[in-house]
Amino acid sequence: MNLVSINPANGHKLKKYKANTLQQVGQKIKQTHKAWLSWKNTTHAERSRLLLNMAGVLQTRKKEFAILMAQEMGKPVNQGVAEIEKCASVCEYCAANAAKFLEDQIIETDASKSFVSFQPIGVVLAIMPWNFPFWQVFRFLAPALAVGNCGVLKHASNVPGCALAIEELVRQAGFPENVFQTLLVNSSMVEKIIEDPLIRAVTITGSANAGKQVAQKAGSLIKKTVLELGGSDAYLIMEDADLEKAAEACVNSRIINSGQSCIAAKRFIVVKSVEKEFTKLFLAKMKAKKMGDPLDTDTAIGPQARVDLRNQLHEQVKLSVRKGAKCILGGTIPKGKNAYYPATILTKVKPGMPAYDEELFGPAAAIITAINEDDAIRIANDSVFALGSAIFTRDKAKGERIAATQLQAGSCFVNALVKSDPRLPFGGIKQSGYGRELGLFGIHEFVNIKTVFVQ
């Protein structure tokens, strides 16, 4: 069986890759486990040195990798460069902080000494999506290697070139052979991989349905999981918001990665008194974003990653309109053999419409009217998803209070777009998943938090 990468900008086949057999997968996992038996005994200094080497490789090859992403999944090349730079930053962060985060923690008891030790657990399986083909992997990989774990990657089937490039750059950075390997397989083999006794934990970024299947399988085998799933991030525009700045942040969040981001802004909940002015600003700024060749540096919106995904988004837009939403921008499929979809805005969005109830994974925005601030908070929380949210208000104290205590989400930002940061824990609640990546909490997800008691 083959995996095929297709350029979504023109439909051209880029390359075929021969998929691994189950036997080959088992052999790779054994190799990675064997590598772990040595890697877990390395010093923090050695791991940090290699992580910094990897950051250097990423910086040196960032343009090359950005072009690869543009070709395989359509990411505008400037955004691809930024993605690789972010991967380098998480390597640097883990190199600088992992040793401190993993220090023994002394706890006073009736023992002569008792403490908590953080120990690596083994080989972690990462099941990763195509939308951020490098960053999604490095969000798991840098912390995993920093704590002394090893990893195998089942990447999305449409970005095998990116998957193999990551394996190669880990090797180029000087890491021991097989501490990280790519498994070229499709999703049908995932359950069998999880069953392998040498796989100790699983992390997945993907749809809620994929997360449920992985969690169910891993749970049946008592293997820990971290799930980073879908999101339909609510951005609340309050009556006292700086509408110009709010509209700018909202548009930039909605069209990042051509709208294909779990933490992109998707539902814009606007207090009625400022809805008309906000919509006017939002429309003008969305119109100004250029859709085009992802290899052009002035392109803001490239193609969607696959034609079927673009078509699915279009059906959600059309059904929302049939149910009463008003399309004031976009909403049409361009001619030609490609996966493009234009910046789209829906207003008059209400419950029962896909634009309200579902995740729109592409450059389509839903504007929802709120009677007042309390109503805006109610609407924001009226979702099965709870990954990120943002609130725009000139009253920072009020914004902080609402973000901290009233919005249901794993991340809440005030007067800024939601983004992941190597220094901050990242993840969701409700159908957006559980567990955390990044920061102190991410480094502690896949370790044995071991109690040591000395009488």
Side-chain angles (χ1 to χ4, degrees), residues 92 95 116 161:
E92 292 165 349
V116 173

Side-chain angles (χ1 to χ4, degrees), residues 92-299:
E92 292 165 349
Y93 178 80
C94 289
N97 293 283
K100 176 177 63 179
F101 292 161
L102 295 166
E103 285 179 347
D104 293 346
Q105 293 185 10
I106 301 292
I107 298 175
E108 295 296 331
T109 67
D110 56 348
S112 63
K113 183 180 183 181
S114 51
F115 62 96
V116 173
S117 176
F118 302 97
Q119 296 297 318
I121 59 171
V123 180
V124 179
L125 168 64
I127 303 165
M128 292 293 141
W130 46 262
N131 57 335
F132 291 89
F134 280 73
W135 171 241
Q136 299 281 12
V137 176
F138 273 85
R139 214 164 64 193
F140 125 83
L141 181 59
L145 293 174
V147 304
N149 289 330
C150 290
V152 291
L153 169 67
K154 187 281 172 205
H155 217 326
S157 298
N158 59 326
V159 289
C162 292
L164 291 171
I166 295 168
E167 180 181 294
E168 192 267 329
L169 75 88
V170 171
R171 194 177 299 116
Q172 183 184 347
F175 282 89
E177 196 72 16
N178 300 326
V179 297
F180 171 79
Q181 293 197 78
T182 285
L183 310 177
L184 287 178
V185 296
N186 61 33
S187 298
S188 64
M189 208 182 285
V190 166
E191 286 202 2
K192 287 290 185 184
I193 297 171
I194 295 173
E195 287 174 1
D196 192 301
L198 297 179
I199 295 294
R200 297 293 163 81
V202 188
T203 179
I204 177 173
T205 299
S207 68
N209 186 53
K212 289 174 186 175
Q213 293 179 41
V214 166
Q216 184 177 35
K217 185 64 182 181
S220 73
L221 298 164
I222 318 178
K223 296 186 180 185
K224 187 174 184 181
T225 51
V226 167
L227 311 181
E228 196 268 278
L229 309 177
S232 188
D233 282 15
Y235 278 38
L236 285 68
I237 319 306
M238 297 308 201
E239 194 169 22
D240 63 348
D242 181 326
L243 296 181
E244 179 71 34
K245 290 181 179 178
E248 183 72 19
C250 288
V251 167
N252 288 338
S253 182
R254 178 59 288 200
I255 61 98
I256 191 170
N257 201 37
S258 306
Q260 301 165 115
S261 171
C262 298
I263 52 167
K266 289 164 188 155
R267 296 179 296 139
F268 300 91
I269 303 165
V270 190
V271 173
K272 189 172 180 60
S273 59
V274 296
E275 181 182 22
K276 185 175 180 181
E277 181 62 21
F278 173 82
T279 301
K280 177 183 174 184
L281 292 166
F282 189 77
L283 175 61
K285 293 177 186 297
M286 282 282 272
K287 275 184 175 178
K289 298 298 183 182
K290 179 188 171 184
M291 181 176 75
D293 186 343
L295 293 175
D296 289 345
T297 55
D298 60 345
T299 291

Side-chain angles (χ1 to χ4, degrees), residues 313-334:
L313 173 65
H314 186 53
E315 289 303 314
Q316 289 174 299
V317 169
K318 288 196 301 181
L319 182 55
S320 295
V321 170
R322 286 201 298 271
K323 287 177 173 284
K326 183 180 179 184
C327 185
I328 63 171
L329 180 69
T332 58
I333 291 180

Side-chain angles (χ1 to χ4, degrees), residues 319-320 323 349-358 382:
L319 182 55
S320 295
K323 287 177 173 284
V349 172
K350 298 184 183 303
M353 300 176 183
Y356 186 99
D357 299 327
E358 301 172 8
D382 184 27

Side-chain angles (χ1 to χ4, degrees), residues 391-424:
I391 179 170
F392 293 86
T393 172
R394 283 188 169 91
D395 185 340
K396 287 187 178 180
K398 177 181 72 175
E400 181 181 332
R401 174 178 54 80
I402 292 171
T405 66
Q406 293 185 262
L407 292 175
Q408 298 168 6
S411 299
C412 296
F413 283 52
V414 180
N415 295 329
L417 60 85
V418 180
K419 61 182 178 181
S420 57
D421 183 311
R423 297 164 293 188
L424 296 171

Side-chain angles (χ1 to χ4, degrees), residues 315-383:
E315 289 303 314
Q316 289 174 299
V317 169
K318 288 196 301 181
L319 182 55
S320 295
V321 170
R322 286 201 298 271
K323 287 177 173 284
K326 183 180 179 184
C327 185
I328 63 171
L329 180 69
T332 58
I333 291 180
K335 293 180 180 178
K337 191 175 182 181
N338 58 64
Y340 284 99
Y341 200 73
T344 297
I345 302 175
L346 299 175
T347 62
K348 302 186 184 302
V349 172
K350 298 184 183 303
M353 300 176 183
Y356 186 99
D357 299 327
E358 301 172 8
E359 179 179 22
L360 299 184
F361 212 66
I367 295 180
I368 303 168
T369 308
I371 299 168
N372 53 32
E373 294 187 354
D374 287 342
D375 193 40
I377 295 166
R378 178 193 64 79
I379 294 168
N381 293 333
D382 184 27
S383 174

